């Protein structure tokens, strides 16, 4: 039923033209074999291939098909490029606590794969405000900021009060009890008092990277072709 | 059935001895007449009477029975004292936004009625951190801080990171949409990263006053009779 | 306690420098008199003043202080400028149904006040896909798209699949029953399959405008000063 | 207590006459031995036997009693027929992503067992609208469409806007974070803007098959005996 | 921006061809004037016009434009036909209690407008099973059954156990307390034990009518042209 | 701190006098050793000892202390009696499906231990009404009925419509998706249309037994000493 | 369609025989006229008629048909008897606070109408335990206790620890914020630690009366005819 | 990026000065190696180090770096002190059931580490009120009470009615079904009728210890330096 010879997947090979990025493989619910076959099919037609929430087993299956594929175990991302994308602009990825690291890593690794310069700042939660205040310069010069936090989810609001740049709030499931697996952080971020914050799904580092990359590329493109955007 | 001649209420006249404060009238669901009768019965046996969430109509009904009763329209509290309680210690009531004012007022008025010195700081939400940072001295010298906020509910956590004193977080229903009438603020406060925060019910300025008064009186009592508490 | 002579508000007059926009008045929970006083105080020091969720009564109170203030009854926004901001870039505001109009209007009016060129497309929900497909050119040339929808909340995901630009999804409380006042749309948008979507609070047209304006201004600034951003 | 010699089950052997289909075994919470005994008892009196959410262990236990039973590991269905039912009409089963495959398979396998012609289309989620648009002809000629999707749950609404046929929306638990195990997709489907959609429980491919089969059989019966239905 | 001269609506005049029914006006959130203008525009190009959740005021505004429009105050539907649709097939609308009447009426009136023969049975909730059992013949001969219930929502499951026909379960917000405005009935219906049930949104009598009409028309069409559907 | 030599438990040895039944051990969260020690301490002073939600390991630990203890693996109850209680009255335990068996068993075994005559009827869910209708005589002669069901939770309401006796509705977590681990059944039961139903916690067979036993004993006591109760 | 000449209601006149009590009119969602007609129809065939959640307007409409009908404004119950039922047994209705009064009144009035002796105790919430402890004798001699409470919902658990009789816990919507209109009390009651508690819907005083009456009548019947029940 | 040579953590070494307690390691989501490195870094600069929710594996990793570290397996806390803190004041930790033990232990161990005298009372839930009443003297003389309970969460409210001291309510996830992992207890505590209660997150024994320690130290400090606090 699908034109690529896979009975379980209808690949969307034109997505790169339409949206600036090829289809990405979301691994949960797919077998390692399915992941490897879809990866090979994407790599056949696109200059890059990304698989998120990937296990080491999935990576080994992909590697058998695409020997140049790489794997970041913290970010759980398998990546393959025909040739590396040039990096543009500037995205800051800021996280509240060490436990938020894997989600921040998913955002950072995906942003790098998508051709963005990335700066990372970790463990600057609001329990010690001086930690985030020490990075004001970075927050003001990045084109967009990805702010990752669990528990009270207060970091993006604090950052939005310190900068004029868009803040992509990324709640994590770090916490327990009435954090309800990240719901508390999600709601706090949706209700952030300062303007300039929008929110992605819980633990969705990749989703934060997608919109941050779109913003950063829009800015970078304007810098290259200023007549169209200003 | 009740020893006070009221068929709809069994007053708890010993509560002042047992808990340090007499029974308080929670007005919603009671008629103005019921409120006035209960108020008169309490005033008959206790040195003070408080009614919360009271309308102006309830106040007029109480006033007909207790001409010295007073009413704070913002706090919606009716109060009556045989003689004013001496004020002790120091409680800070801090609110995030002007819309949180009625809940902060309920806390402040109740604290004053309960015999506490109260300092108020308003409209110092986290959108402009310098506003709360300007009050660090107060936050460090009060015996206890009542922190009132709606929307993202981040203020108590920020305050707890700036002081060694207990913080009573008071969520308000200020907000809309995914604030879910204060649920977002409540959850954020329950998940506050810094230690030193405990939470009362949404819009429960009176409840915040109750525990803050207990803390402040415990501290003040220790200052008066240091041998028992240290 | 506040340096501006208002006992119920601590204005944040430096916010414009810090975040590119002055403090905005969120009207619910404030009296008309409070709104007018805060508005006058902001206008005294800032080049513009905005009040959201404002009633006609609040407008009349503000107008008594600031005769040049204007009111958009659909958007429920009171605005006052010392002089109009120059408009830059391009933001598209797209709504799914006529009932979503007030939220879309809040976003459009706020964006215009913040100095953004705005294009509006209304009533292009997914029940008739050809309606949104007819606007692909606009979706691809705007610097950022605000997509407003209630009920199934599917419009932002469909738009994100058609463009490379960032999409700010804005759920509305339009619907009934299991829409749970916009929760269904909010969750659908947070789970949008295509990348490039971030979400603001339910009915939060103003919040959508804030982040869209930050993005659009970042792009426009890059077009003016390409060396810093690319 | 039960007339079939099973102490833990009261079989409903008349259900086929009453509802057109015999009782089906829902395996979770039953031991393999219980499943096999109930299966044998049903097969004793009915022309077919189905067990859903069945493990391989349950299949082996059933096979020991009914050697002709078959097992579909993706759909997790054990089936046994005295003789295959003739297939009638036409049902389309359409899924949004590869991860939705098991639920779509449960629907497809059950539909085939119930005597329906089935067409399957997979991986046509709304991130690339052209994928589903390519199947419009099928959507318009099937008697009923089962539309399976997780995450944003937008596929059934899009399909309902493209056809005059009834759409049985089947949410899946595919997703993470604020998908809340399929709740987001369920709510989105219940709020689908276009008419013509009704919804079954999350991951309930079998339930979708039941109602789709009833619809398809009603249509097919009308084609055979047109006087009663038109 | 819209080709029909309405700035707030983009009408979908091809919907009748594509889905068998023209666009319907959902009145909440629209002014009476907007409703009347949209109604006139639809009536200009389509053979029928429906507006749901309509107030009497909206009806009077529509009537000024379309004098032949009719209004059912229980169903809250405004209808206008260039000429009445011929009625086909058979749909049963069954409700559990008198309080469910308005939702059942919305379904019945909409079904009649859409050209379906409708039979109504009211007040046959499960507290007295004999009431629904008395209608078994009707339940078995209708092409599809719309089952409307609030509170425990058990009626559709009971009906599905008595017939081979598809059951469209329609939860209502009738109830109080832990009915949570129809959530209890909605969940009960999604978890109905017998197969053959699918569910629409709470109080969505119109949505139930839409899918029931699609089913009934598919059956009736097969009776007219048996070769295509069987 | 405890008078029984256990540092982790303050036993309530007077509970039998006060409430008619000794303290029962709820095993989850306790180690096998703790369970055995508490069991021995209870057995030392009470004529019977019950432990619920008990694993086989817990049973072996108890048996080492109380060799006469017995274990029902389906009900997960450890029981020990100094001498068996005489059985009185009549309680019916009715379950909807085979998967509800363990909860029904917990109720039945506990009721027997508490000295009640118990009749069991299983697998009589509403998908086939004739199954429960066949037991009307039993439902009308028992002193109280425990009705156990998951999924749609409709069985207790149906039973309450068939009898004059009190019905203790016991929801189970049997189901999937939007059953939300028994929430759907719980809500349906709380909203049961017929009078005469009260509800216990999800999967709480023991709790159902407690109140049913109190009711049955009250009836039986009245039969023995009719002057006090009638 | 209905044998009683009412098009909107199918009365269940045999219910009294089957369940010991005739059908009761739940007024919300019904017009005053509908209520009066149904009341007259019930009174025509049954010895008593009850309507709950009734407004004064509904009462006046009923009174025009049944001049002997009575109305309790606190309980919001309209009652009519051909002749008063003899009263049997003993039910205690206990409420935690004055604001819970209307729900307790609904239970008490309904119980009296159903032929039960009722004792009432009000305003004995757990803030002052001595208030409820003073009524232990009553709690131990009633055949069944209806315990009504909002807010923390702790009263039924405390009562169940003091008596051997069944406790029907009745949560009320009294409270605010995180009481979520009675959800907090409902959940607390479902999780009551002591055995012997079962729960009815929030604010469902009538439902509590129904099951309490069934229990009390079962006990009273056993006292009259001891051979059948013990 | 961090000044301590750890790439994944920005330690907040000034926190002890600012808040009276150094940063504490929340272990979930961190590897044993990360925990050990952070622990060593904290111990390098602070007089004490605490890690909560720690596994035995984490303890062994920390012990390799800090041989004097200790581990409480029930409380799951790793502690290290350069020298033990002097203990002051008096905190009571009271728990409702044996299953609540680990949360109570987390509170007790943390309080001891923070330099507080601690008294523990266990298993005094409200099913037997005499158990908690036996400890009234302790409840009245402690400076603050930590009350730990799952299920119905009623213990803190009962305690607050018996004392004038502040009560820190600590809900646990002990329970099942509609306890929703501690949500029932959390809500009950937030709605406690008596004043004087504030609440921490579910299972958050450490958080309860933090605020209780702040309160106890404030009281103890006042006893030492009475002039500032009274």
């Amino acid at each position: 039923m699908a034109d690529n010879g896979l009975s379980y997947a209808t690949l969307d090979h034109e997505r790169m033209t339409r949206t600036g990025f090829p289809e990405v493989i979301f691994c949960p619910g797919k077998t390692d074999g399915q992941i490897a076959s879809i990866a090979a099919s994407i790599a056949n037609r696109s200059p890059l291939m990304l698989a998120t929430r990937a296990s080491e087993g999935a990576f080994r299956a992909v590697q058998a098909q695409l020997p140049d594929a790489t794997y970041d175990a913290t970010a759980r991302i398998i990546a393959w490029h025909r040739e590396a994308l040039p990096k543009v602009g500037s995205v800051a990825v800021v996280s509240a606590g060490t436990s938020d690291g894997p989600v921040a890593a998913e955002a950072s690794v995906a942003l790098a794969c998508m051709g963005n310069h990335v700066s990372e700042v970790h463990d600057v939660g609001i329990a010690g405000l001086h930690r985030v205040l020490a990075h004001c310069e970075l927050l003001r010069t990045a084109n967009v900021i990805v702010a990752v936090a669990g528990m009270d989810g207060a970091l993006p609001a604090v950052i939005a009060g310190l900068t004029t740049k868009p803040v992509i709030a990324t709640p994590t499931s770090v916490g327990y009890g009435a954090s309800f697996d990240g719901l508390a952080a999600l709601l706090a971020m949706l209700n952030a008092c300062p303007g300039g914050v929008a929110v992605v799904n819980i633990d969705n580092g990749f989703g934060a990277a997608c919109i941050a990359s779109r913003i950063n590329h829009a800015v970078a493109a304007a810098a290259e072709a200023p007549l169209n955007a200003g």
Side-chain angles (χ1 to χ4, degrees), chain A:
Chain A
M1 146 197 359
D3 63 352
N4 50 18
L6 304 177
S7 65
Y8 45 83
T10 303
L11 295 184
D12 184 6
H13 290 301
E14 296 75 31
R15 195 181 296 183
M16 190 152 190
T17 313
R18 212 172 58 245
T19 69
F21 205 76
E23 191 177 22
V24 168
I25 308 171
F26 176 67
C27 293
K30 299 187 179 73
T31 65
D32 290 352
Q34 288 178 331
I35 294 166
S37 298
I38 300 175
S41 177
I42 290 176
N44 217 26
R45 307 199 193 185
S46 304
L48 74 148
M49 186 285 305
L50 245 69
T52 63
R53 309 275 167 117
S55 65
E56 294 228 21
F59 172 54
R60 283 190 296 270
V62 170
Q63 215 179 15
Q65 304 262 346
L66 301 171
D68 296 347
T70 59
Y71 181 61
D72 185 304
T74 304
R76 288 184 296 158
I77 288 180
I78 307 170
W80 173 91
H81 295 81
R82 194 159 295 128
E83 55 190 305
L85 291 183
K87 291 193 177 161
V88 302
S90 160
V91 182
V93 175
V94 185
S95 71
T98 302
S99 302
D100 301 314
V103 177
E106 189 180 84
S108 296
V109 169
L111 278 162
C113 291
M114 292 168 178
N116 301 279
H117 287 298
V118 182
S119 306
E120 296 181 53
V121 182
H122 294 308
D123 206 15
V124 294
I126 63 158
L129 281 176
H130 60 286
R131 294 185 299 185
V132 66
L133 294 174
H135 295 280
C136 275
E137 184 58 24
L138 175 64
L139 301 177
R140 288 175 182 158
T141 55
N143 288 330
V144 54
I145 299 144
V146 173
V148 182
M151 294 187 173
D152 56 29
L155 184 62
V158 166
I159 288 175
L162 297 171
T163 176
T164 63
K165 298 306 172 52
V167 177
I168 304 303
T170 312
T172 75
S173 55
V174 169
Y176 53 89
S179 92
F180 296 121
D181 296 320
L183 178 62
L186 171 66
L187 293 181
M189 291 173 180
L190 286 167
N191 286 282
C193 289
V197 178
V199 188
V200 296
N201 197 357
I202 299 163
D203 288 336
N204 193 4
F206 178 74
C210 285
I211 185 163
S213 181
R214 287 187 177 206
I215 295 170
N216 188 46
H217 275 82
V219 177
E224 285 184 23
L227 291 190
N228 299 327

